[in-house]
Amino acid sequence: KLKIMSLILSKYENLSERIDYVDTDDDLTRLGAVIGSYFNDDDNVWIDKFDEFLPQQFEVLRPIFDSNANVTITFSVCPNYSDTYYGTKATITQISEYTSADIIRLDGEMKHINAEDLRFLFTNWFNHEVYCGDKANAEIFTARDTYTETENTARKILDCVREDGYRFCDIGLLFPSQKDYTHVIEAVFDEYEIPYYTDTKIAISQYPIATQITSLFNIIENNWNYESMFEYLRAGFVYVKTHVNGKVRYAKLDPDSIDILENYVLKYGIQYKNNWCKSWLTKSYGVLDTAFDKEPSQLSALKTTDELREIIVTPISLYCDRVKNSKTVSDYCHALFAFLEDINLYQGLKSDMLKMAKEDATQDVQQFGQIWNLILNILDEVNTALGSEEVTHEEFAEYVLAAMSQ
């Protein structure tokens, strides 16, 4: 396995050199290769706020040590708690083994902790001493489940804001498991109208905006079958350009109209590209004729449904035509961006973001903007890294999906 990994890495490095592609993960490695020339024995270097150094970070330090500059590194460590500060102590040992470093211990009390009960909690973490003073800053709440625990926390937060003069931005929440807590916190905090920000990393592929793209790949792969078509439509980010009172407006496809369309498709077994791309209206009103018995109102509904079909099919068909003649990754990237323009994604998102801003939905505005920028970055990076490579559409889709899963 190591030989295989080495071979893959070698191929990757050769490819990176050939296409002049820069991987941001290698920034520290490149820095370490040149930084030593910028220092000499007359320089003083101060490094603070690190508990330990990752291997790449240490590779940056090595040439600085070798330059004979006067390097001072500060660490916060408590000698009595070796388990807690194991990583920091190991880092100090690593530095001492590499260079003749003087270790100077500065003893002092924990003046940064003003609360007596919190100071006691920290200093007695690993023993069983009992604190008998005022416990104003520490509290234990036993809950029967995660939801009850989160509800109690939400009430405490509201009390702090309403009664004690805190702002929401003054309050932090730590929890042990993102998998177990994130969805509960979202539900409870939305119910209690508590604004919040979470640093939980969610792959872009999990957002409906990205699903609009991934489902497009599924449509082509599965020949426009029912599942892929309605996954595409349920994503909800196909916008239609209209004119209202002389002004251009962008509106999403009406969900009720999609429901009606789905009923027709299910009832008459409409599947695959040939049936989606040809008109459902003929001289005898075609496949849906029996549903309406040619009554005027029913024929009008049929025409409306066929018009919706045309709106849906057009951008997908144009994309299919473009990728037929595409050979390189760059060609596919241009075809995909043209598809995003055909469904008016940028203009529609911009319109929705303006509405959200008026409703003070700041987090949703930021999220929409970030996802759009991430989509563009993915196309840009794939094009930069592999633009001239000849691939199939399936391979291109795999590249995009892999980038979106990060």
Side-chain angles (χ1 to χ4, degrees):
K1 288 184 178 179
L2 287 175
K3 289 181 179 179
I4 293 172
M5 291 298 296
S6 177
L7 178 62
I8 293 172
L9 178 60
S10 176
K11 293 289 186 182
Y12 172 75
E13 289 177 341
N14 291 337
L15 176 63
S16 299
E17 291 176 1
R18 180 159 54 86
I19 63 177
D20 195 27
Y21 176 68
V22 177
D23 188 342
T24 55
D25 290 338
D26 295 331
D27 285 348
L28 288 177
T29 302
R30 290 192 295 273
L31 176 62
V34 300
I35 195 171
S37 61
Y38 290 89
F39 295 97
N40 55 53
D41 53 9
D42 294 326
D43 294 323
N44 292 285
V45 180
W46 293 80
I47 301 172
D48 192 15
K49 300 296 184 182
F50 283 90
D51 294 320
E52 51 188 296
F53 295 105
L54 298 174
Q56 270 192 319
Q57 294 170 337
F58 200 80
E59 290 304 314
V60 176
L61 292 180
R62 288 179 188 274
I64 300 178
F65 293 145
D66 295 340
S67 70
N68 294 321
N70 299 312
V71 182
T72 302
I73 307 176
T74 61
F75 294 102
S76 296
V77 61
C78 188
N80 298 329
Y81 306 114
S82 56
D83 291 341
T84 306
Y85 292 96
Y86 174 80
T88 305
K89 285 192 168 188
T91 300
I92 294 173
T93 301
Q94 183 183 17
I95 293 172
S96 301
E97 291 175 349
Y98 184 79
T99 182
S100 56
D102 295 326
I103 300 176
I104 302 173
R105 300 188 185 278
L106 301 177
D107 296 325
E109 299 179 359
M110 291 177 291
K111 296 179 180 179
H112 61 290
I113 303 180
N114 296 321
E116 191 65 32
D117 51 351
L118 295 182
R119 187 181 302 179
F120 178 89
L121 179 65
F122 183 82
T123 55
N124 294 277
W125 190 259
F126 291 104
N127 59 42
H128 300 285
E129 295 291 326
V130 177
Y131 179 71
C132 300
D134 182 20
K135 297 179 282 293
N137 299 285
E139 180 181 336
I140 296 176
F141 173 76
T142 304
R144 68 175 182 269
D145 53 39
T146 305
Y147 191 88
T148 307
E149 178 188 8
T150 307
E151 271 199 321
N152 179 72
T153 303
R155 287 193 289 267
K156 289 287 185 182
I157 291 173
L158 292 180
D159 288 342
C160 288
V161 173
R162 294 169 181 172
E163 306 297 334
D164 300 329
Y166 286 92
R167 296 178 300 170
F168 288 116
C169 62
D170 298 328
I171 301 170
L173 181 65
L174 304 178
F175 48 93
S177 168
Q178 291 184 346
K179 178 182 177 181
D180 295 333
Y181 279 84
T182 300
H183 65 287
V184 179
I185 290 172
E186 290 175 353
V188 173
F189 279 27
D190 288 345
E191 180 183 350
Y192 281 76
E193 297 183 349
I194 297 175
Y196 63 92
Y197 166 79
T198 175
D199 62 354
T200 302
K201 290 185 177 181
I202 302 176
I204 185 177
S205 58
Q206 297 183 24
Y207 289 98
I209 299 175
T211 303
Q212 205 68 67
I213 297 173
T214 59
S215 59
L216 172 68
F217 297 152
N218 291 335
I219 287 173
I220 295 176
E221 181 181 355
N222 298 311
N223 191 25
W224 302 51
N225 68 351
Y226 164 79
E227 290 79 8
S228 57
M229 285 299 296
F230 282 93
E231 179 191 23
Y232 172 86
L233 293 174
R234 297 297 180 199
F237 287 93
V238 176
Y239 292 87
V240 179
K241 181 179 180 181
T242 58
H243 293 82
V244 181
N245 298 326
K247 295 183 178 180
V248 177
R249 296 284 185 268
Y250 294 92
K252 294 179 180 178
L253 295 178
D254 178 34
D256 292 337
S257 298
I258 294 175
D259 289 340
I260 294 172
L261 179 72
E262 184 176 17
N263 290 336
Y264 293 160
V265 169
L266 288 172
K267 184 172 182 178
Y268 294 98
I270 299 172
Q271 285 213 77
Y272 308 124
K273 184 177 180 180
N274 289 340
N275 290 325
W276 276 97
C277 289
K278 67 182 180 183
S279 174
W280 294 347
L281 296 174
T282 64
K283 291 182 180 180
S284 59
Y285 292 99
V287 69
L288 301 180
D289 179 42
T290 56
F292 299 103
D293 296 327
K294 298 183 181 180
E295 293 183 10
S297 61
Q298 295 170 327
L299 293 179
S300 176
L302 170 59
K303 291 177 181 178
T304 301
T305 302
D306 194 62
E307 290 169 0
L308 177 60
R309 177 202 61 81
E310 184 68 26
I311 292 171
I312 293 167
V313 163
T314 299
I316 304 175
S317 295
L318 289 172
Y319 178 77
C320 290
D321 292 340
R322 294 186 187 106
V323 298
K324 272 183 184 178
N325 301 318
S326 297
K327 294 182 178 180
T328 66
V329 170
S330 182
D331 294 336
Y332 289 115
C333 285
H334 282 87
L336 183 55
F337 185 78
F339 165 78
L340 300 181
E341 290 185 317
D342 290 339
I343 63 172
N344 303 298
L345 184 59
Y346 172 73
Q347 294 89 342
L349 289 177
K350 187 176 179 181
S351 176
D352 284 350
M353 289 165 66
L354 290 172
K355 295 175 184 176
M356 293 174 186
K358 292 179 181 178
E359 298 170 358
D360 293 326
T362 308
Q363 187 172 352
D364 291 335
V365 172
Q366 292 176 343
Q367 186 182 90
F368 273 36
Q370 289 171 352
I371 294 172
W372 171 253
N373 289 332
L374 284 171
I375 290 172
L376 294 187
N377 287 340
I378 287 171
L379 289 178
D380 184 52
E381 289 179 4
V382 170
N383 185 53
T384 302
L386 302 165
S388 59
E389 294 290 315
E390 292 192 5
V391 297
T392 64
H393 181 263
E394 290 77 13
E395 291 172 330
F396 170 71
E398 288 178 3
Y399 294 147
V400 175
L401 293 173
M404 285 186 173
S405 66
Q406 301 301 314

